[in-house]
Amino acid sequence: MQLDILSSLPEKAQRDLPRVVNRLLGQVFLYQDKEDDKDDYYFIHRHRQACENVLALTGYNLLHDDYHRIFQAVSEYSYCRVHYKLDESLMIVVLRKLFEERAEHLSLAQDPVITIGELREEYRTITGKERDLGIIQYENLLRRLRSMGLVDTLDGRSIDVRDAEARLRLRGSVRMILPV
């Protein structure tokens, strides 16, 4: 680990480094294609070695998905791992399954798009009918997954689980959070 690389950074980059690393740690993923993440994504991209060294010092690895242009910091230790509820874990598995099925049929530049109805049906298929969730549970679950950056609504609309035709974009981070 070379910490002397930090002193070779430009002064502005030295000032921005703590903020950018903290943001990465706080929000799980940084995307190149999200407007509010773009500057920090490119900062890490430009100063990747310095960011890797800072994160390594604290026991984190910097991961980058070149295809989807996403950065993620992952702890080498289990202290900072998120513990999901059963429904959250099952939904992440469903998202990953749907992502893989849909990604086979898309061009390189597209993220898969699914409907709420498809998501609910796949969730019921995996868990069985008796494990189906209510409207409020689906809304809370999808809001949480959206805040994590795993799904996004199209056209900036709010999540309406009552509308089976409402569309969700599955982000490439689904692959990073649940590697196969």
Side-chain angles (χ1 to χ4, degrees), residues 9-177:
L9 289 175
E11 188 177 319
K12 182 175 179 351
Q14 288 180 19
R15 285 192 316 267
D16 286 345
L17 183 65
R19 180 192 59 76
V20 172
V21 169
N22 270 281
R23 182 162 187 229
L24 175 62
L25 291 172
Q27 73 181 49
V28 184
F29 300 105
L30 283 178
Y31 299 92
Q32 181 266 333
D33 67 348
K34 280 183 78 176
E35 201 56 44
D36 54 339
D37 287 356
K38 189 175 283 197
D39 290 341
D40 291 341
Y41 173 91
Y42 282 118
F43 177 89
I44 293 174
H45 197 267
R46 276 190 311 277
H47 306 292
R48 186 172 185 162
Q49 189 63 49
C51 293
E52 284 177 344
N53 288 344
V54 167
L55 288 166
L57 181 65
T58 60
Y60 281 87
N61 293 316
L62 182 65
L63 301 181
H64 185 243
D65 182 336
D66 292 325
Y67 181 75
H68 294 100
R69 297 186 177 149
I70 304 167
F71 278 111
Q72 177 187 20
V74 177
S75 175
E76 294 177 11
Y77 309 101
S78 61
Y79 302 123
C80 297
R81 302 265 166 102
V82 175
H83 299 281
Y84 298 107
K85 296 176 185 171
L86 176 61
D87 294 330
E88 292 170 334
S89 297
L90 291 171
M91 189 59 80
I92 291 170
V93 170
V94 167
L95 293 176
R96 176 63 192 242
K97 182 178 185 288
L98 289 171
F99 185 95
E100 293 302 322
E101 289 173 357
R102 300 298 195 283
E104 293 174 359
H105 308 292
L106 295 175
S107 71
L108 296 179
Q110 294 178 318
D111 283 333
V113 175
I114 61 168
T115 65
I116 297 282
E118 292 170 330
L119 181 66
R120 290 185 75 165
E121 185 58 36
E122 189 64 36
Y123 185 87
R124 279 194 291 268
T125 300
I126 285 181
T127 61
K129 295 282 185 190
E130 67 277 0
R131 190 76 178 109
D132 195 23
L133 300 175
I135 298 295
I136 302 297
Q137 291 169 307
Y138 268 114
E139 284 178 348
N140 291 338
L141 183 54
L142 288 175
R143 278 192 198 107
R144 171 128 163 84
L145 296 172
R146 183 182 190 183
S147 72
M148 292 168 52
L150 301 179
V151 297
D152 207 2
T153 56
L154 295 182
D155 306 323
R157 297 174 49 189
S158 63
I159 295 175
D160 181 8
V161 297
R162 290 172 186 88
D163 180 6
E165 297 304 313
R167 298 182 308 157
L168 296 172
R169 181 172 71 146
L170 301 177
R171 304 299 307 252
S173 51
V174 170
R175 283 185 158 169
M176 294 179 82
I177 201 165

